């Protein structure tokens, strides 16, 4: 049971973002810019960066949601599954391996990011903007994971919920969509 | 040296903020509402103290000194007092409710799952409202983001703590949105 009263039909982050909408709005916007805005990283790549952090933080709701989002954007399930086992053998570019490694380090602590891992990313062609965005996406999901689990929000067992959320992320992004929430009441 | 090319002489989070204005806008709005909006039963000083405590646990020198100095400004205390709270909040003369909220914030810093029902019930028994508990968790989570943003890019932090004290009053007055990042 959540530590504070949240609307029962809104699990995970969804209930929290409705609980306090004034703080939710800029967080949504920040997420929209980072994960859906113009970028030289694809939306699928950015969802993988989010997912490696959610997985490492053992946030079940966020991990399921962003794994589904990454999978739907990439059109397959293998990459996200392999990434969680071992970044180095994941079928992604050398640049993405380096960025995922940086994200995993940020998850531990900002201080865990090494010059060597940043240099590796740069040698593989990562731009300063891509490195900046990787660090900020990873940091943002350290916020989300703690927000979701720190208030003990509900984690749906039905995989269909996360598929539906992933479609919403793909089609409508991270902006507030009241109609989508109303559908959950049924 | 910072991991990416940031404007020289711009301390801490301000470097990446200048680097990425698109993300800075919502981030600044977020922190303004969270820490400074007066429609909140936690004082600005209490909210800054939560941010300071988490930044200290994350060992983020820049954030704990910026927000520690701002907390000291609002609370009209000196940095020795703030330092004592960071080291051992239970043995300082803050309210029992604040001690309970800082304990929750400390658990959030370790990971969301570390927050226990007992901690939350204890805070509620001392008068903490649901919104105060929500805000405590969100402030703590937010600083886990900011601290990682600042240190994950290896930004520059002035080591003289006086630097932060001198700027605190201005930040308290101007807020987190409308100000010159280079001043």
């Amino acid at each position: 049971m959540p530590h504070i009263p949240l609307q029962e039909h809104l699990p995970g982050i969804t209930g929290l973002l409705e609980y306090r909408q004034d703080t939710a709005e800029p967080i949504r916007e920040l997420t929209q810019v980072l994960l859906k805005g113009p970028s030289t990283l694809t939306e699928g790549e950015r969802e993988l960066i989010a997912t490696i952090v959610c997985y490492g933080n053992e946030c079940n709701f966020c991990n399921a949601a962003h794994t589904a989002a990454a999978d739907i954007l990439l059109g397959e399930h293998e990459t996200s599954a392999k990434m969680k086992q071992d970044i180095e053998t994941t079928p992604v570019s050398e640049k993405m391996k380096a960025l995922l490694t940086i994200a995993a380090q940020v998850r531990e602590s900002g201080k865990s990011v090494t010059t060597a891992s940043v240099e590796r990313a740069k040698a593989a062609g990562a731009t300063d903007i891509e490195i900046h965005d990787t660090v900020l996406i990873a940091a943002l999901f350290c916020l989300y994971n703690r927000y979701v689990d720190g208030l003990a929000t509900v984690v749906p067992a039905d995989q269909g919920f996360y598929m539906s959320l992933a479609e919403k992320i793909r089609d409508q992004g991270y902006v507030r969509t009241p109609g989508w929430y109303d559908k959950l009441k049924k | 040296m910072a991991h990416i090319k940031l404007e020289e002489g711009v301390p801490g989070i301000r470097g990446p903020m200048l680097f990425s204005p698109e993300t800075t806008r919502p981030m600044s709005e977020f922190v303004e509402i969270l820490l400074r909006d007066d429609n909140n039963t936690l004082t600005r000083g209490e909210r800054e103290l939560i941010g300071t405590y988490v930044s200290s646990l994350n060992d983020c020198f820049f954030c704990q000194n910026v927000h520690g100095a701002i907390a000291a400004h609002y609370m009209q205390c000196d940095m020795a007092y703030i330092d004592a709270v960071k080291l051992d909040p239970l043995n300082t003369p803050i309210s029992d409710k604040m001690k309970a909220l800082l304990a929750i914030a400390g658990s959030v810093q370790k990971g969301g799952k570390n927050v226990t029902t007992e901690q939350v019930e204890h805070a509620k028994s001392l008068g903490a409202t649901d919104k105060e508990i929500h805000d405590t968790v969100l402030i703590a989570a937010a600083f886990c983001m900011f601290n990682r943003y600042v240190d994950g890019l290896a930004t520059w932090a002035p080591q003289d703590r006086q630097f932060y004290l001198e700027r605190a009053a201005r930040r308290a007055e101007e807020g987190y949105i409308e100000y010159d990042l280079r001043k």
Side-chain angles (χ1 to χ4, degrees), chain B residues 68-86:
Chain B
I70 297 172
H73 172 82
Y74 284 131
M75 296 166 72
Q76 297 182 309
C77 62
D78 58 19
M79 281 303 274
Y81 182 91
I82 301 293
D83 287 345
V85 174
K86 288 193 296 195

Side-chain angles (χ1 to χ4, degrees), chain A:
Chain A
M1 212 181 82
H3 291 316
I4 58 172
L6 301 170
Q7 294 183 68
E8 279 181 21
H9 68 292
L10 298 178
I13 190 69
T14 63
L16 294 174
L17 294 177
E18 286 297 282
Y19 181 82
R20 204 176 158 186
Q21 290 181 24
D22 60 348
T23 43
E25 198 176 307
I27 307 177
R28 283 181 180 282
E29 200 186 331
L30 177 61
T31 314
Q32 180 76 5
V33 170
L34 277 171
L35 295 182
K36 304 284 286 183
S39 172
T40 48
L41 297 173
T42 67
E43 289 185 26
E45 288 172 332
R46 286 177 274 168
E47 287 291 345
L48 285 175
I49 291 167
T51 303
I52 195 84
V53 173
C54 300
Y55 175 74
N57 281 331
E58 299 176 15
C59 182
N60 295 331
F61 181 90
C62 299
N63 178 40
H66 293 281
T67 300
D71 289 353
I72 205 170
L73 286 160
L74 297 170
E76 40 88 4
H77 305 274
E78 287 77 28
T79 305
S80 67
K82 283 188 175 155
M83 172 186 79
K84 292 175 193 177
Q85 301 310 310
D86 178 14
I87 291 171
E88 294 307 323
T89 56
T90 307
V92 291
S93 65
E94 165 67 11
K95 182 179 84 177
M96 266 307 287
K97 286 179 191 174
L99 294 178
L100 289 169
T101 301
I102 291 172
Q105 290 173 340
V106 169
R107 186 196 71 77
E108 287 174 21
S109 161
K111 291 189 164 38
S112 297
V113 178
T114 63
T115 303
S117 55
V118 174
E119 290 308 319
R120 178 189 176 192
K122 288 182 182 173
T127 64
D128 278 7
I129 295 173
E130 288 171 342
I131 292 166
H132 168 275
D133 289 0
T134 297
V135 169
L136 188 49
I137 291 169
L140 174 61
F141 279 85
C142 286
L143 178 158
Y144 274 130
N145 298 161
R146 284 169 170 78
Y147 193 20
V148 163
D149 282 340
L151 288 165
T153 61
V154 171
V155 185
D158 173 21
Q159 189 55 29
F161 170 82
Y162 302 102
M163 283 307 295
S164 160
L165 190 54
E167 285 168 8
K168 182 243 181 246
I169 288 169
R170 180 192 62 194
D171 300 335
Q172 293 163 296
Y174 289 95
V175 293
R176 185 167 177 264
T177 45
W180 191 83
Y181 284 156
D182 289 341
K183 277 197 305 188
L184 295 175
K185 279 185 185 162
K186 290 166 192 165

Side-chain angles (χ1 to χ4, degrees), chain B residues 74-140:
Chain B
Y74 284 131
M75 296 166 72
Q76 297 182 309
C77 62
D78 58 19
M79 281 303 274
Y81 182 91
I82 301 293
D83 287 345
V85 174
K86 288 193 296 195
L87 276 175
D88 187 7
L90 292 182
N91 288 308
T92 47
I94 55 172
S95 72
D96 286 342
K97 184 179 86 176
M98 267 309 286
K99 287 178 185 173
L101 293 178
L102 287 177
I104 292 172
S107 291
V108 169
Q109 185 269 340
K110 292 194 203 92
K113 288 189 173 68
N114 289 277
V115 178
T116 65
T117 303
E118 290 71 32
Q119 284 180 317
V120 174
E121 291 308 319
H122 181 58
K124 286 181 181 174
S125 77
L126 295 167
T129 64
D130 289 334
K131 181 159 180 283
E132 287 171 348
I133 289 163
H134 167 276
D135 284 6
T136 298
V137 170
L138 184 52
I139 292 167

